[in-house]
Amino acid sequence: MLTVLKPVFALGGLGMLTAMVNKAGAHELKATLLAALPLLPWVVLIELGRQGCDATATRLSYGARAGQVPLSVLVRAQLIGTAVSSMAPAGRAAAEATKATLLTPYAGAAAATAAAATSQSASLGAGGLISFPCAVASYLMTGWSAFTVAMVVHGFVLLLASLGVRAGLRAKRLGAWMRRRCGKWGEHAESFQASLCAGGLCPWRPMLAFLGSRVLQVMQYAVLAHAVGIDATVLQALFTQGLYLVALAMGSLVPGQVGVTDSVFSLAAGAMGTSAAKAMSIAVLAHTVQAVFVLVGALTPLVWRTRKVTAAQGVAPAVPAPA
């Protein structure tokens, strides 16, 4: 169903983007973007750091099996997963599923699936945690505005979702049901749940790695704000990050959140003390950096081949370590 609706969401996003460009003024937007281009390489450099944090989070999600996954294979999976995350509906979940598929020959299906679930939970938790300082920044800038309330709600929802996903998959009743229903796959289902239950309810280590990625993203938005001529204070950067997270939640079914992020930034121009064109330029420049990594991720399977490994060759017995 989502595959069928994907073109509809994409067209809707492009329509919103076109409307926002006309509203903000195409000439001012173009001039702002051209002036900001010299600082774009710094944003790309910070994005490389974010990719490193995300790959580290994935590795930590494997616990004791992390050593079975070669670093080069992990980096390759991260690049491909980034492209999937940017373009697929519910991108983060799709990216984790993609990485699990690529890493299964090395860690085993049960461990890879459990790691993907752990990584997804950790990502949600990190997004929830960073939302609260963003909400504080929004409150200091705008009071109890719709932006502030949205960031607070976003933080609580993501934290609850993170713990809910983790708790639900660790439930003993679910494990028993999976063993009854999965037939010959019951053993894999049991191993999957055992991997999830090895650590605590909250996967702190991968969550902190993802939180590091979000902190770097705040730095990215500070650079982008400075590039378009906005005062790049800590409050401004946190507020901008909060806007992005809210837009990400609203436009999760739109490829790359094109049009959604731009609209949210344009609407927040007054709160940011700038013009709609400058506020929207931040989102457009972020899309540009995103497109670079989508292109890299899309080309990675074509230019970076790996030796085929069977599950028997790649998997060795190991007891998952606490996340």
Side-chain angles (χ1 to χ4, degrees), residues 204-260:
W204 284 111
R205 296 175 69 200
M207 186 183 293
L208 288 174
F210 276 124
L211 188 59
S213 175
R214 290 301 184 190
V215 171
L216 287 176
Q217 194 169 48
V218 174
M219 293 174 59
Q220 281 184 315
Y221 280 114
V223 174
L224 289 174
H226 176 71
V228 302
I230 300 175
D231 187 20
T233 64
V234 175
L235 287 181
Q236 190 75 267
L238 284 170
F239 178 69
T240 308
Q241 167 74 0
L243 290 177
Y244 165 77
L245 291 173
V246 171
L248 182 64
M250 293 172 58
S252 60
L253 297 179
V254 179
Q257 292 76 51
V258 174
V260 179

Short mmCIF file of all heavy atoms in Angstrom, two decimals, residues 204-260:
data_model
loop_
_atom_site.label_atom_id
_atom_site.label_comp_id
_atom_site.label_asym_id
_atom_site.label_seq_id
_atom_site.Cartn_x
_atom_site.Cartn_y
_atom_site.Cartn_z
N TRP A 204 21.06 1.79 26.28
CA TRP A 204 21.75 3.05 26.50
C TRP A 204 22.93 3.28 25.55
O TRP A 204 23.12 4.40 25.06
CB TRP A 204 22.24 3.12 27.95
CG TRP A 204 21.15 3.41 28.93
CD1 TRP A 204 20.63 2.55 29.86
CD2 TRP A 204 20.41 4.63 29.05
NE1 TRP A 204 19.61 3.16 30.56
CE2 TRP A 204 19.45 4.44 30.09
CE3 TRP A 204 20.45 5.85 28.40
CZ2 TRP A 204 18.57 5.43 30.48
CZ3 TRP A 204 19.57 6.84 28.79
CH2 TRP A 204 18.64 6.63 29.82
N ARG A 205 23.73 2.27 25.33
CA ARG A 205 24.95 2.49 24.53
C ARG A 205 24.64 2.92 23.10
O ARG A 205 25.14 3.95 22.63
CB ARG A 205 25.83 1.24 24.58
CG ARG A 205 26.34 0.93 26.00
CD ARG A 205 27.11 -0.37 26.03
NE ARG A 205 28.37 -0.25 25.31
CZ ARG A 205 29.05 -1.29 24.85
NH1 ARG A 205 28.57 -2.53 24.98
NH2 ARG A 205 30.20 -1.13 24.24
N PRO A 206 23.82 2.17 22.35
CA PRO A 206 23.47 2.66 21.01
C PRO A 206 22.68 3.95 21.05
O PRO A 206 22.81 4.80 20.15
CB PRO A 206 22.66 1.51 20.40
CG PRO A 206 22.24 0.65 21.53
CD PRO A 206 23.28 0.81 22.58
N MET A 207 21.87 4.16 22.11
CA MET A 207 21.10 5.40 22.20
C MET A 207 22.02 6.61 22.34
O MET A 207 21.79 7.65 21.71
CB MET A 207 20.13 5.33 23.38
CG MET A 207 19.18 6.53 23.46
SD MET A 207 18.10 6.50 24.91
CE MET A 207 17.08 5.07 24.52
N LEU A 208 23.08 6.47 23.13
CA LEU A 208 24.03 7.57 23.30
C LEU A 208 24.77 7.86 21.99
O LEU A 208 25.09 9.01 21.68
CB LEU A 208 25.02 7.25 24.41
CG LEU A 208 24.45 7.29 25.83
CD1 LEU A 208 25.51 6.81 26.85
CD2 LEU A 208 23.98 8.70 26.19
N ALA A 209 25.04 6.81 21.22
CA ALA A 209 25.68 7.01 19.91
C ALA A 209 24.75 7.79 18.98
O ALA A 209 25.18 8.71 18.27
CB ALA A 209 26.06 5.67 19.29
N PHE A 210 23.47 7.43 18.98
CA PHE A 210 22.51 8.17 18.17
C PHE A 210 22.33 9.60 18.68
O PHE A 210 22.12 10.53 17.90
CB PHE A 210 21.15 7.45 18.17
CG PHE A 210 21.03 6.36 17.15
CD1 PHE A 210 20.68 5.06 17.55
CD2 PHE A 210 21.25 6.60 15.81
CE1 PHE A 210 20.57 4.05 16.62
CE2 PHE A 210 21.13 5.59 14.86
CZ PHE A 210 20.80 4.31 15.27
N LEU A 211 22.41 9.77 19.99
CA LEU A 211 22.30 11.11 20.57
C LEU A 211 23.48 11.97 20.11
O LEU A 211 23.32 13.16 19.83
CB LEU A 211 22.26 11.03 22.09
CG LEU A 211 21.95 12.33 22.83
CD1 LEU A 211 20.59 12.89 22.41
CD2 LEU A 211 21.97 12.10 24.35
N GLY A 212 24.67 11.36 20.03
CA GLY A 212 25.82 12.07 19.49
C GLY A 212 25.58 12.53 18.06
O GLY A 212 25.96 13.63 17.66
N SER A 213 24.90 11.68 17.29
CA SER A 213 24.55 12.04 15.91
C SER A 213 23.62 13.24 15.87
O SER A 213 23.76 14.14 15.05
CB SER A 213 23.89 10.83 15.23
OG SER A 213 23.44 11.16 13.93
N ARG A 214 22.64 13.28 16.81
CA ARG A 214 21.70 14.41 16.86
C ARG A 214 22.41 15.70 17.28
O ARG A 214 22.09 16.79 16.79
CB ARG A 214 20.56 14.09 17.82
CG ARG A 214 19.61 13.01 17.33
CD ARG A 214 18.97 13.38 16.03
NE ARG A 214 17.98 12.40 15.59
CZ ARG A 214 17.41 12.39 14.40
NH1 ARG A 214 17.74 13.33 13.51
NH2 ARG A 214 16.52 11.48 14.07
N VAL A 215 23.37 15.58 18.20
CA VAL A 215 24.13 16.77 18.61
C VAL A 215 24.91 17.33 17.43
O VAL A 215 24.97 18.55 17.22
CB VAL A 215 25.08 16.42 19.78
CG1 VAL A 215 26.04 17.58 20.06
CG2 VAL A 215 24.28 16.09 21.03
N LEU A 216 25.50 16.45 16.63
CA LEU A 216 26.20 16.90 15.42
C LEU A 216 25.22 17.55 14.44
O LEU A 216 25.58 18.50 13.73
CB LEU A 216 26.91 15.72 14.75
CG LEU A 216 28.16 15.20 15.47
CD1 LEU A 216 28.70 13.96 14.75
CD2 LEU A 216 29.24 16.27 15.52
N GLN A 217 24.00 17.05 14.42
CA GLN A 217 23.00 17.65 13.53
C GLN A 217 22.65 19.07 13.99
O GLN A 217 22.39 19.95 13.16
CB GLN A 217 21.75 16.78 13.48
CG GLN A 217 20.81 17.13 12.35
CD GLN A 217 19.72 16.09 12.17
OE1 GLN A 217 19.08 15.67 13.12
NE2 GLN A 217 19.50 15.67 10.93
N VAL A 218 22.63 19.29 15.30
CA VAL A 218 22.43 20.66 15.81
C VAL A 218 23.55 21.56 15.29
O VAL A 218 23.30 22.71 14.87
CB VAL A 218 22.41 20.66 17.35
CG1 VAL A 218 22.36 22.10 17.88
CG2 VAL A 218 21.20 19.89 17.87
N MET A 219 24.78 21.05 15.28
CA MET A 219 25.91 21.82 14.75
C MET A 219 25.71 22.10 13.26
O MET A 219 26.03 23.20 12.78
CB MET A 219 27.20 21.05 14.98
CG MET A 219 27.60 20.90 16.43
SD MET A 219 29.06 19.83 16.64
CE MET A 219 30.27 20.73 15.65
N GLN A 220 25.18 21.13 12.54
CA GLN A 220 24.91 21.35 11.12
C GLN A 220 23.95 22.52 10.90
O GLN A 220 24.18 23.38 10.04
CB GLN A 220 24.29 20.08 10.49
CG GLN A 220 25.27 19.00 10.16
CD GLN A 220 24.59 17.84 9.47
OE1 GLN A 220 23.53 17.38 9.87
NE2 GLN A 220 25.21 17.34 8.41
N TYR A 221 22.89 22.54 11.69
CA TYR A 221 21.91 23.60 11.53
C TYR A 221 22.46 24.96 11.96
O TYR A 221 22.05 26.00 11.43
CB TYR A 221 20.62 23.26 12.27
CG TYR A 221 19.76 22.30 11.48
CD1 TYR A 221 19.52 21.01 11.94
CD2 TYR A 221 19.23 22.67 10.25
CE1 TYR A 221 18.74 20.12 11.20
CE2 TYR A 221 18.46 21.79 9.51
CZ TYR A 221 18.23 20.52 9.99
OH TYR A 221 17.48 19.64 9.24
N ALA A 222 23.41 24.95 12.91
CA ALA A 222 24.07 26.21 13.27
C ALA A 222 24.88 26.74 12.09
O ALA A 222 24.85 27.94 11.78
CB ALA A 222 24.98 25.99 14.48
N VAL A 223 25.60 25.84 11.41
CA VAL A 223 26.38 26.25 10.23
C VAL A 223 25.46 26.72 9.11
O VAL A 223 25.72 27.74 8.46
CB VAL A 223 27.26 25.07 9.74
CG1 VAL A 223 27.96 25.44 8.43
CG2 VAL A 223 28.30 24.70 10.80
N LEU A 224 24.35 26.00 8.89
CA LEU A 224 23.42 26.39 7.83
C LEU A 224 22.77 27.73 8.13
O LEU A 224 22.59 28.56 7.22
CB LEU A 224 22.34 25.31 7.67
CG LEU A 224 22.81 23.99 7.04
CD1 LEU A 224 21.69 22.95 7.08
CD2 LEU A 224 23.26 24.22 5.60
N ALA A 225 22.41 27.96 9.40
CA ALA A 225 21.82 29.24 9.77
C ALA A 225 22.80 30.38 9.53
O ALA A 225 22.44 31.43 8.98
CB ALA A 225 21.39 29.22 11.24
N HIS A 226 24.05 30.17 9.92
CA HIS A 226 25.08 31.19 9.68
C HIS A 226 25.28 31.41 8.18
O HIS A 226 25.47 32.56 7.73
CB HIS A 226 26.39 30.75 10.33
CG HIS A 226 27.54 31.67 10.07
ND1 HIS A 226 27.64 32.92 10.63
CD2 HIS A 226 28.64 31.52 9.26
CE1 HIS A 226 28.75 33.52 10.23
NE2 HIS A 226 29.38 32.69 9.39
N ALA A 227 25.22 30.32 7.41
CA ALA A 227 25.45 30.42 5.97
C ALA A 227 24.40 31.27 5.26
O ALA A 227 24.71 31.96 4.28
CB ALA A 227 25.48 29.02 5.36
N VAL A 228 23.17 31.25 5.76
CA VAL A 228 22.10 32.02 5.10
C VAL A 228 21.92 33.40 5.73
O VAL A 228 21.00 34.14 5.35
CB VAL A 228 20.76 31.25 5.12
CG1 VAL A 228 20.90 29.90 4.42
CG2 VAL A 228 20.24 31.07 6.54
N GLY A 229 22.78 33.73 6.70
CA GLY A 229 22.73 35.08 7.27
C GLY A 229 21.88 35.22 8.51
O GLY A 229 21.46 36.33 8.85
N ILE A 230 21.62 34.12 9.23
CA ILE A 230 20.86 34.16 10.47
C ILE A 230 21.83 34.04 11.64
O ILE A 230 22.81 33.29 11.57
CB ILE A 230 19.82 33.01 10.52
CG1 ILE A 230 18.85 33.11 9.35
CG2 ILE A 230 19.05 33.04 11.83
CD1 ILE A 230 17.87 31.95 9.25
N ASP A 231 21.56 34.75 12.71
CA ASP A 231 22.40 34.69 13.90
C ASP A 231 22.44 33.27 14.43
O ASP A 231 21.42 32.74 14.92
CB ASP A 231 21.85 35.65 14.97
CG ASP A 231 22.78 35.77 16.17
OD1 ASP A 231 23.97 35.44 16.00
OD2 ASP A 231 22.33 36.22 17.23
N ALA A 232 23.61 32.63 14.38
CA ALA A 232 23.73 31.21 14.71
C ALA A 232 24.03 31.00 16.18
O ALA A 232 25.13 30.59 16.56
CB ALA A 232 24.81 30.56 13.84
N THR A 233 23.06 31.29 17.05
CA THR A 233 23.23 31.04 18.48
C THR A 233 22.86 29.59 18.80
O THR A 233 22.28 28.89 17.97
CB THR A 233 22.32 31.98 19.29
OG1 THR A 233 20.95 31.67 18.98
CG2 THR A 233 22.61 33.44 18.96
N VAL A 234 23.19 29.17 20.02
CA VAL A 234 22.84 27.81 20.45
C VAL A 234 21.32 27.64 20.46
O VAL A 234 20.79 26.62 20.01
CB VAL A 234 23.42 27.52 21.85
CG1 VAL A 234 22.94 26.16 22.36
CG2 VAL A 234 24.95 27.55 21.82
N LEU A 235 20.60 28.67 20.96
CA LEU A 235 19.14 28.60 20.99
C LEU A 235 18.58 28.46 19.58
O LEU A 235 17.67 27.66 19.34
CB LEU A 235 18.56 29.85 21.66
CG LEU A 235 18.70 29.97 23.18
CD1 LEU A 235 18.05 31.26 23.67
CD2 LEU A 235 18.07 28.76 23.87
N GLN A 236 19.12 29.24 18.65
CA GLN A 236 18.64 29.19 17.27
C GLN A 236 18.88 27.82 16.67
O GLN A 236 18.02 27.26 15.98
CB GLN A 236 19.36 30.26 16.44
CG GLN A 236 18.78 30.47 15.06
CD GLN A 236 17.47 31.23 15.05
OE1 GLN A 236 16.41 30.61 15.07
NE2 GLN A 236 17.53 32.54 15.04
N ALA A 237 20.07 27.25 16.92
CA ALA A 237 20.40 25.94 16.37
C ALA A 237 19.49 24.85 16.95
O ALA A 237 19.01 23.97 16.22
CB ALA A 237 21.86 25.61 16.64
N LEU A 238 19.24 24.90 18.26
CA LEU A 238 18.36 23.91 18.89
C LEU A 238 16.93 24.06 18.40
O LEU A 238 16.23 23.06 18.15
CB LEU A 238 18.41 24.06 20.41
CG LEU A 238 19.67 23.51 21.10
CD1 LEU A 238 19.70 23.94 22.56
CD2 LEU A 238 19.73 21.98 20.99
N PHE A 239 16.48 25.29 18.25
CA PHE A 239 15.12 25.53 17.75
C PHE A 239 14.98 24.98 16.32
O PHE A 239 13.99 24.33 15.99
CB PHE A 239 14.83 27.03 17.76
CG PHE A 239 13.47 27.39 17.21
CD1 PHE A 239 12.31 27.05 17.89
CD2 PHE A 239 13.34 28.06 16.00
CE1 PHE A 239 11.06 27.37 17.39
CE2 PHE A 239 12.11 28.39 15.49
CZ PHE A 239 10.95 28.05 16.19
N THR A 240 16.01 25.21 15.51
CA THR A 240 15.98 24.71 14.13
C THR A 240 15.99 23.19 14.09
O THR A 240 15.28 22.58 13.29
CB THR A 240 17.19 25.26 13.36
OG1 THR A 240 17.26 26.67 13.50
CG2 THR A 240 17.08 24.92 11.87
N GLN A 241 16.78 22.58 14.98
CA GLN A 241 16.79 21.12 15.06
C GLN A 241 15.41 20.60 15.46
O GLN A 241 14.93 19.61 14.91
CB GLN A 241 17.84 20.68 16.08
CG GLN A 241 17.76 19.23 16.51
CD GLN A 241 18.25 18.26 15.45
OE1 GLN A 241 18.65 18.67 14.37
NE2 GLN A 241 18.20 16.98 15.74
N GLY A 242 14.78 21.26 16.41
CA GLY A 242 13.43 20.86 16.82
C GLY A 242 12.44 20.95 15.67
O GLY A 242 11.57 20.07 15.51
N LEU A 243 12.55 22.01 14.87
CA LEU A 243 11.68 22.15 13.70
C LEU A 243 11.87 20.97 12.75
O LEU A 243 10.90 20.41 12.22
CB LEU A 243 11.98 23.45 12.96
CG LEU A 243 11.58 24.76 13.65
CD1 LEU A 243 12.04 25.94 12.79
CD2 LEU A 243 10.08 24.83 13.89
N TYR A 244 13.14 20.60 12.55
CA TYR A 244 13.42 19.49 11.65
C TYR A 244 12.80 18.19 12.16
O TYR A 244 12.20 17.43 11.39
CB TYR A 244 14.94 19.31 11.48
CG TYR A 244 15.31 17.99 10.87
CD1 TYR A 244 15.16 17.78 9.50
CD2 TYR A 244 15.77 16.94 11.65
CE1 TYR A 244 15.46 16.55 8.93
CE2 TYR A 244 16.07 15.71 11.10
CZ TYR A 244 15.92 15.52 9.73
OH TYR A 244 16.21 14.30 9.17
N LEU A 245 12.93 17.93 13.47
CA LEU A 245 12.39 16.70 14.03
C LEU A 245 10.88 16.63 13.91
O LEU A 245 10.31 15.58 13.60
CB LEU A 245 12.81 16.57 15.50
CG LEU A 245 14.30 16.34 15.75
CD1 LEU A 245 14.60 16.40 17.25
CD2 LEU A 245 14.75 15.01 15.17
N VAL A 246 10.22 17.76 14.15
CA VAL A 246 8.76 17.81 14.01
C VAL A 246 8.37 17.58 12.55
O VAL A 246 7.44 16.83 12.24
CB VAL A 246 8.21 19.15 14.51
CG1 VAL A 246 6.73 19.31 14.16
CG2 VAL A 246 8.40 19.27 16.03
N ALA A 247 9.10 18.22 11.63
CA ALA A 247 8.82 18.05 10.21
C ALA A 247 9.07 16.61 9.78
O ALA A 247 8.33 16.05 8.95
CB ALA A 247 9.68 19.00 9.38
N LEU A 248 10.11 15.99 10.36
CA LEU A 248 10.42 14.60 10.04
C LEU A 248 9.27 13.68 10.45
O LEU A 248 8.90 12.76 9.73
CB LEU A 248 11.71 14.18 10.77
CG LEU A 248 12.22 12.77 10.54
CD1 LEU A 248 12.61 12.57 9.08
CD2 LEU A 248 13.41 12.49 11.44
N ALA A 249 8.69 13.95 11.62
CA ALA A 249 7.55 13.15 12.08
C ALA A 249 6.32 13.38 11.21
O ALA A 249 5.61 12.44 10.86
CB ALA A 249 7.24 13.50 13.54
N MET A 250 6.08 14.63 10.83
CA MET A 250 4.91 14.96 10.01
C MET A 250 5.02 14.41 8.60
O MET A 250 4.03 13.99 8.00
CB MET A 250 4.73 16.48 9.96
CG MET A 250 4.35 17.12 11.28
SD MET A 250 4.38 18.93 11.17
CE MET A 250 3.20 19.23 9.85
N GLY A 251 6.24 14.39 8.08
CA GLY A 251 6.42 13.99 6.68
C GLY A 251 7.12 12.66 6.52
O GLY A 251 7.84 12.45 5.54
N SER A 252 6.91 11.74 7.47
CA SER A 252 7.63 10.47 7.43
C SER A 252 7.30 9.63 6.20
O SER A 252 8.09 8.79 5.79
CB SER A 252 7.32 9.65 8.70
OG SER A 252 5.93 9.39 8.80
N LEU A 253 6.14 9.88 5.59
CA LEU A 253 5.76 9.12 4.40
C LEU A 253 6.15 9.82 3.10
O LEU A 253 5.95 9.28 2.02
CB LEU A 253 4.25 8.85 4.41
CG LEU A 253 3.72 8.00 5.56
CD1 LEU A 253 2.22 7.84 5.46
CD2 LEU A 253 4.41 6.63 5.60
N VAL A 254 6.70 11.03 3.22
CA VAL A 254 7.11 11.79 2.03
C VAL A 254 8.60 11.56 1.80
O VAL A 254 9.40 11.80 2.71
CB VAL A 254 6.84 13.30 2.21
CG1 VAL A 254 7.30 14.07 0.97
CG2 VAL A 254 5.37 13.53 2.48
N PRO A 255 9.01 11.09 0.61
CA PRO A 255 10.43 10.83 0.37
C PRO A 255 11.29 12.06 0.64
O PRO A 255 11.09 13.13 0.06
CB PRO A 255 10.46 10.47 -1.13
CG PRO A 255 9.10 9.92 -1.40
CD PRO A 255 8.17 10.73 -0.54
N GLY A 256 12.26 11.90 1.54
CA GLY A 256 13.15 12.99 1.87
C GLY A 256 12.50 14.16 2.59
O GLY A 256 13.14 15.18 2.81
N GLN A 257 11.23 14.02 2.95
CA GLN A 257 10.45 15.10 3.58
C GLN A 257 10.49 16.37 2.73
O GLN A 257 10.37 17.49 3.26
CB GLN A 257 10.95 15.40 5.00
CG GLN A 257 10.70 14.30 6.01
CD GLN A 257 11.67 13.14 5.84
OE1 GLN A 257 12.88 13.36 5.79
NE2 GLN A 257 11.16 11.93 5.77
N VAL A 258 10.68 16.22 1.43
CA VAL A 258 10.73 17.37 0.52
C VAL A 258 9.38 18.06 0.52
O VAL A 258 8.34 17.45 0.31
CB VAL A 258 11.09 16.93 -0.91
CG1 VAL A 258 10.99 18.10 -1.88
CG2 VAL A 258 12.50 16.36 -0.94
N GLY A 259 9.38 19.33 0.76
CA GLY A 259 8.16 20.12 0.81
C GLY A 259 7.65 20.28 2.23
O GLY A 259 7.22 21.38 2.61
N VAL A 260 7.71 19.23 3.03
CA VAL A 260 7.22 19.29 4.41
C VAL A 260 8.18 20.11 5.27
O VAL A 260 7.78 21.06 5.95
CB VAL A 260 7.05 17.88 5.00
CG1 VAL A 260 6.54 17.97 6.44
CG2 VAL A 260 6.08 17.06 4.15
#
